[in-house]
């Protein structure tokens, strides 16, 4: 099952996404409430094609906070070292956790705005976890019970500023730095232990950016347990699990598409501030 948030030039609405067996298209089955607010939601009877005129997919959630894990794949840690971005040649033993503010979140097809303060914007395709329940001090073995589902995320990073700010506040937290979407795939409908990640830049595959969650150093249950030990995770909060391999440079005008097998594709275009 897939859950989407959308608008038709009005207030945001929620819908389940279903593929029509006849025409093969994805349709939004509108819901009468907010699924993450604890409401008992049901279909309104309205159905819209995802690609219909006037339909706009939004970020599937508006999280109160977004956490991310840095260097959570050995391949990415080695890439960062070889590219001169890190003095450490291998992934650190302990989790490196950072955060993005809610104002960094945008949705599918929204523009990523290149800030004037940077000259080196990078893409980082990842799988994002969306929490479905309040989670505090959650044990690893119970962690997945608190997950609603998964979506695509591009952890857009200003690489030149990352080296200047020890806390990565500007590098990771600038407006539009957290594209999410296109929808949420429910927890039991994705092989989250082996989700394939890939990336397309201007229509061309970037093989060195691809990978699978099977190679995560700190798995998703461990991430939830660690983060919930110091921060209460609320329904809709997001955890970016890490980028699997090499990242790369983005320029104004570039089209960046994150692909996660079993979820879909998240497309954004970079624009000048």
């Amino acid at each position: 099952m897939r859950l989407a948030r959308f608008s038709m030039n009005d207030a945001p609405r929620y819908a389940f996404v279903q593929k029509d067996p006849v025409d093969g298209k994805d349709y939004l089955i509108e819901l009468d409430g907010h699924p993450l607010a604890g409401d008992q939601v049901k279909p309104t009877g309205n159905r819209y094609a995802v690609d219909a005129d006037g339909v706009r997919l939004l970020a599937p959630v508006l999280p109160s906070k977004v956490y991310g894990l840095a260097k959570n794949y050995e391949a990415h840690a080695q890439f960062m070292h070889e590219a001169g971005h890190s003095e450490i040649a291998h992934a650190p033993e302990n989790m490196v956790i950072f955060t993005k503010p809610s104002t960094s979140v945008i949705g599918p097809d929204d523009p990523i705005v290149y800030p004037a303060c940077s000259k080196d914007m990078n893409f980082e395709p990842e799988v994002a976890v969306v929490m479905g329940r309040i989670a505090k001090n959650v044990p690893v073995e119970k962690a997945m019970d608190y997950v609603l589902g998964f979506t695509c995320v591009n952890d857009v990073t200003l690489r030149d500023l990352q080296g200047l700010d020890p806390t990565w506040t500007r590098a990771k937290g600038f407006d539009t730095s957290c594209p999410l979407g296109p929808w949420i795939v429910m927890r039991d409908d994705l092989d989250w232990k082996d989700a394939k990640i890939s990336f397309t830049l201007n229509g061309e595959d970037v093989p060195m950016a691809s990978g699978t969650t099977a190679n995560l150093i700190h798995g998703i249950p461990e991430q939830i347990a660690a983060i919930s030990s110091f921060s209460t995770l609320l329904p809709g909060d997001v955890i970016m699990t890490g980028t699997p391999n090499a990242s790369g440079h983005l320029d104004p005008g570039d089209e960046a598409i994150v692909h996660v097998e079993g979820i879909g594709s998240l497309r954004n275009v970079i624009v000048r501030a």
Side-chain angles (χ1 to χ4, degrees):
M1 184 180 295
R2 295 172 288 171
L3 176 66
R5 183 169 163 268
F6 74 105
S7 74
M8 300 180 68
N9 297 317
D10 56 7
R13 315 181 199 185
Y14 287 86
F16 291 128
V17 185
Q18 292 183 353
K19 188 176 292 293
D20 189 291
V22 176
D23 63 20
K25 289 186 176 182
D26 285 323
Y27 286 86
L28 298 167
I29 311 302
E30 185 182 16
L31 302 174
D32 65 357
H34 188 329
L36 287 173
D39 301 335
Q40 291 293 322
V41 297
K42 61 183 184 296
T44 64
N46 296 326
R47 188 181 90 147
Y48 309 98
V50 168
D51 60 357
D53 290 343
V55 172
R56 178 189 171 203
L57 289 179
L58 307 174
V61 287
L62 288 179
S64 73
K65 51 193 172 293
V66 177
Y67 285 105
L69 266 74
K71 301 178 184 177
N72 198 27
Y73 290 82
E74 177 63 20
H76 182 62
Q78 291 182 9
F79 163 79
M80 290 291 286
H81 175 68
E82 291 167 3
H85 300 305
S86 173
E87 295 180 357
I88 303 172
H90 297 284
E93 181 178 348
N94 297 319
M95 294 186 196
V96 177
I97 301 170
F98 61 91
T99 186
K100 288 180 183 265
S102 59
T103 48
S104 67
V105 173
I106 58 173
D109 296 317
D110 287 340
I112 299 169
V113 181
Y114 205 130
C117 60
S118 174
K119 294 182 180 179
D120 189 11
M121 177 183 281
N122 279 210
F123 58 79
E124 292 191 9
E126 306 184 15
V127 172
V129 179
V130 180
M131 302 304 295
R133 296 167 52 192
I134 296 174
K136 178 63 177 175
N137 293 323
V138 174
V140 171
E141 59 272 17
K142 297 288 187 180
M144 297 308 295
D145 294 342
Y146 293 80
V147 172
L148 175 67
F150 306 90
T151 192
C152 305
V153 62
N154 191 345
D155 175 19
V156 186
T157 302
L158 305 178
R159 198 67 76 198
D160 49 355
L161 299 189
Q162 188 176 18
L164 299 176
D165 291 348
T167 58
W168 301 350
T169 302
R170 290 186 296 167
K172 294 282 192 180
F174 65 95
D175 289 350
T176 74
S177 67
C178 190
L180 293 172
W183 38 60
I184 298 167
V185 171
M186 299 296 104
R187 177 193 61 208
D188 296 334
D189 294 328
L190 182 75
D191 181 6
W192 52 269
K193 294 182 179 180
D194 188 17
K196 307 297 192 303
I197 304 164
S198 59
F199 184 77
T200 303
L201 180 63
N202 298 327
E204 299 290 334
D205 289 338
V206 183
M208 283 301 296
S210 65
T212 167
T213 55
N215 294 328
L216 282 167
I217 295 171
H218 305 287
I220 291 171
E222 289 76 18
Q223 294 179 41
I224 295 168
I227 293 170
S228 71
S229 72
F230 67 84
S231 177
T232 300
L233 293 166
L234 303 178
D237 281 351
V238 168
I239 299 174
M240 304 183 300
T241 56
T243 196
N245 207 321
S247 61
H249 185 76
L250 293 169
D251 288 309
D254 283 348
E255 178 191 58
I257 305 180
V258 176
H259 309 276
V260 178
E261 186 177 295
I263 298 178
S265 299
L266 169 65
R267 174 189 178 273
N268 300 92
V269 173
I270 290 75
V271 301
R272 293 190 183 277

